[in-house]
Amino acid sequence: MVRIYHNNRCSKSRATLALLEERGAAVEVINYLDTPPTAAELAALLKQLGMTARQLLRTGEDEYRTLGLDNLALGENALIAAMVAHPKLIERPIVVANGKAALGRPPEAVLAIL
């Protein structure tokens, strides 16, 4: 089973989902804006991605500036909490397969974990 943290309004997310389906993958779609990951789930995803919370933040979102997330003194837990409370801040799409995770930017990047 392949899991995708998906936003249907995002062209990269739609392209990644289409690529997975073209490959015949059984895909569990999680619309993360409606069902955000918990802090523990997001921490686990970050570990699988090999990324820090700051690297997964969408810095162009209004919430990023409004919440002062550009403050480098903010640690992992604070950034994770912000992403859980404001899932729009999470870069997308995230695909999980075979105990690994990849960011679908570009969509083909997820093929390495299938």
Side-chain angles (χ1 to χ4, degrees), residues 22-37:
E22 286 168 11
R23 298 287 168 131
V27 183
E28 175 189 5
V29 177
I30 298 173
N31 293 305
Y32 73 93
L33 293 177
D34 298 328
T35 310

Side-chain angles (χ1 to χ4, degrees), residues 15-53:
T16 301
L17 179 57
L19 181 64
L20 292 170
E21 290 172 341
E22 286 168 11
R23 298 287 168 131
V27 183
E28 175 189 5
V29 177
I30 298 173
N31 293 305
Y32 73 93
L33 293 177
D34 298 328
T35 310
T38 65
E41 289 169 336
L42 191 52
L45 285 170
L46 287 166
K47 188 173 183 177
Q48 288 177 304
L49 287 163
M51 297 174 76
T52 66

Side-chain angles (χ1 to χ4, degrees), residues 1-105:
M1 175 68 67
V2 177
R3 180 180 302 138
I4 182 172
Y5 290 84
H6 179 64
N7 177 350
N8 196 48
R9 289 177 294 209
C10 171
S11 62
K12 296 284 188 218
S13 199
R14 289 191 311 269
T16 301
L17 179 57
L19 181 64
L20 292 170
E21 290 172 341
E22 286 168 11
R23 298 287 168 131
V27 183
E28 175 189 5
V29 177
I30 298 173
N31 293 305
Y32 73 93
L33 293 177
D34 298 328
T35 310
T38 65
E41 289 169 336
L42 191 52
L45 285 170
L46 287 166
K47 188 173 183 177
Q48 288 177 304
L49 287 163
M51 297 174 76
T52 66
R54 188 162 299 283
Q55 290 172 313
L56 194 62
L57 274 172
R58 292 179 56 83
T59 59
E61 298 295 336
D62 290 337
E63 290 90 341
Y64 180 80
R65 288 179 295 286
T66 304
L67 297 170
L69 299 177
D70 57 344
N71 180 349
L72 297 179
L74 293 174
E76 284 286 296
N77 291 339
L79 296 176
I80 288 171
M83 286 189 276
V84 169
H86 305 274
K88 199 165 138 182
L89 290 166
I90 301 170
E91 188 61 82
R92 60 192 178 248
I94 300 171
V95 174
V96 180
N98 301 311
K100 299 176 187 168
L103 194 58
R105 293 193 168 267

